Amino acid sequence: MIRMLFGAVLAALALGAGGAQPVAIDVGHYLAKPGATSAYGVPEFEYNQSLAAVIAARLEADGVPVRLIGFRGEMEDLYARAPQAEEAGAQFLLSIHHDSVKAELQQPWIWNGREQRYSTYASGFSLFVSRKNPRLAESLACASAIGAALRAAGLKPTAHHAEVASGIGRPWADETNGVYYYDNLVVLKTATVPAVLFEAGVIVHPDEARELATAERRALSAAAVERGLKDCGVIDGR
């Protein structure tokens, strides 16, 4: 089923649709360097690809054209991602990711006969904007709107990116809605359109990793993203 969804999404969305301005959805990481690894040994890229497909399909079904970036896992050059959004005439760029914690906060365990790493230190979603993006105010408004929609859907933001104890200590942009400043993220700082990076949850957390892999959680996240984009004016309220 998920392969059929991927095929339909690629066919319908690869170049955007119709005359309206598309939303660009960037699939974080790529096959050669797939990002974090879940508590069950699943690469982050697979989580990112699956959630991006669900978000894209939901927006397209609602009449919103979408430009998918890096969906096949071929986009090794981070600096090539934002230009693809702009070439497609996108009005907004959303980069999809799934989170982890520092290695020193993880522990080994055996899953299906293989050693993996897990942590219960943190769980929850987070969103990031760059103060180097020329459309910061709009980026932050949309990040806050998406975060508010995720909270309204019953999800909670993680605070671990702000904690010095976790080895990160990033500044809050909107603590209530789980939004941080992360100025040097390439996809955000090089975009000339409003841009937000979305960490949908923490995949080294065993319980959250399972939930994030379900169709129900992906649909919930996709609905919240769409609600947030409506509330911040990127797409209309139809």
Side-chain angles (χ1 to χ4, degrees), residues 20-41:
Q21 284 185 297
V23 170
I25 298 178
D26 170 60
V27 182
H29 301 287
Y30 51 96
L31 290 174
K33 293 185 178 180
T37 301
S38 82
Y40 304 100

Side-chain angles (χ1 to χ4, degrees), residues 39 68 107 126 141 158 165 170 181 196 209 211 214 225 231:
L68 279 167
Q107 306 174 58
S126 52
T158 179
R170 300 209 180 281
Y181 290 119
V196 172
E211 184 180 344
T214 65
V225 166
D231 289 345

